[in-house]
Amino acid sequence: MSFQLLDPEKGIFLSEAGSTNTILKGKEFPPGSWILADFQSSGRGRKGKTWSILGEEPFIFSGKFSSDSNLSSPGLFSLYIGVAVAKAILSVYPSASKKDLRIKWPNDIYLNGKKVCGILIETEKEGEVWDWILGIGANLYGTEIPDYLSDAGFVTRDQNEKGRRTRFLETLLPLLNDAVLAISDGDKRIEFINEKLLWKGETIAWTESGEQKTATLLGVNEEGKLLARTSVGNMVEFIDSPEDFRSLG
């Protein structure tokens, strides 16, 4: 399969948007287009959740890829995009390399236990062409976190690292294209994901048919599925994360 990648020359800069993903779904925006907004009033996360952007330098981005067929393992798309974002953070913000950076399966980035980036992947199909709309919301720099968002954090609080949003964008764009090419070419990125996987080796819990289940988180397989083992040795395979998926430590 082949992908049409993001074009650095097809960027749109907006001072304000409702949802950059929603805007980019419009047919007037061909594959390769991307949007960077200063403010987003209707940010969306997975499963209908809202996503609040915080701080003085938010990164509100959407990009449109297209492919000539669907992926055999579509879950890899979100994970590989997460790898690209993680690598961009580590490249642009030296202070991040001193923190505990983790990828929360399937699509969040954490630093020192705080969520600093959320990723939303949406697909649309017309004929034999698949559009892949990826949304990335990151809190690049800031100092104040509202009490009701105690799980959130910033990539950096270091004033010496302020003003790097443009550098982050310029670093991220080729990494996103590289991630999608890796999917197309079968290049494996699972080792990096498992090295940075949040909660790996910990006891996770979720609710299934009204009953709490627990297992030890093992890692991600080559198809992007999450693997865990119950206390009696049964393997559990997740294609998507349950609503109350969490770590018990």
Side-chain angles (χ1 to χ4, degrees):
M1 66 179 304
S2 62
F3 275 92
Q4 185 165 344
L5 305 177
L6 299 182
D7 185 340
E9 303 301 321
K10 289 185 178 179
I12 302 162
F13 295 88
L14 301 175
S15 59
E16 183 175 345
S19 163
T20 53
N21 262 29
T22 299
I23 293 172
L24 209 54
K25 288 180 181 179
K27 298 305 179 184
E28 66 270 29
F29 299 105
S33 301
W34 51 271
I35 294 173
L36 184 67
D38 296 328
F39 175 77
Q40 181 171 252
S41 60
S42 303
R44 294 179 290 115
R46 297 173 63 248
K47 300 182 179 179
K49 295 180 180 179
T50 58
W51 168 241
S52 299
I53 293 291
L54 306 174
E56 299 173 30
E57 292 178 11
F59 187 81
I60 305 164
F61 176 92
S62 290
K64 180 185 282 188
F65 293 89
S66 71
S67 64
D68 54 12
S69 62
N70 195 11
L71 293 173
S72 58
S73 302
L76 288 177
F77 196 98
S78 181
L79 286 168
Y80 279 33
I81 293 299
V83 170
V85 175
K87 288 182 175 180
I89 288 173
L90 293 173
S91 174
V92 175
Y93 296 93
S95 64
S97 64
K98 302 174 184 177
K99 302 175 183 177
D100 185 25
L101 185 146
R102 297 290 166 180
I103 298 174
K104 181 185 177 185
W105 183 88
N107 58 358
D108 294 330
I109 306 294
Y110 278 65
L111 279 174
N112 284 357
K114 300 294 185 179
K115 181 177 177 179
V116 300
C117 177
I119 299 168
L120 176 66
I121 308 295
E122 299 181 281
T123 59
E124 294 192 331
K125 184 175 185 289
E126 184 172 340
E128 297 302 317
V129 177
W130 289 78
D131 284 341
W132 300 79
I133 312 296
L134 68 96
I136 299 171
N139 306 323
L140 295 183
Y141 171 81
T143 57
E144 300 294 332
I145 296 290
D147 292 339
Y148 65 91
L149 291 175
S150 58
D151 184 48
F154 297 109
V155 170
T156 185
R157 294 173 181 262
D158 187 343
Q159 289 196 4
N160 294 322
E161 295 180 339
K162 288 177 63 176
R164 299 193 179 191
R165 191 177 76 150
T166 298
R167 191 190 308 184
F168 182 75
L169 171 67
E170 293 171 348
T171 302
L172 180 62
L173 284 173
L175 286 171
L176 292 174
N177 283 339
D178 176 69
V180 172
L181 285 174
I183 297 172
S184 178
D185 297 341
D187 184 17
K188 302 302 182 185
R189 305 286 165 94
I190 299 300
E191 183 177 351
F192 183 93
I193 295 166
N194 280 318
E195 177 187 338
K196 300 291 186 182
L197 187 64
L198 185 71
W199 302 337
K200 186 178 179 181
E202 297 182 14
T203 300
I204 55 171
W206 69 98
T207 301
E208 187 176 303
S209 302
E211 179 182 353
Q212 177 174 288
K213 304 286 187 178
T214 61
T216 300
L217 185 60
L218 301 179
V220 174
N221 68 11
E222 296 293 335
E223 297 177 341
K225 298 175 183 177
L226 194 69
L227 304 178
R229 181 182 289 116
T230 68
S231 59
V232 295
N234 295 330
M235 292 294 294
V236 183
E237 190 177 90
F238 295 93
I239 298 175
D240 195 6
S241 58
E243 188 71 26
D244 62 343
F245 190 72
R246 61 199 184 277
S247 171
L248 301 181

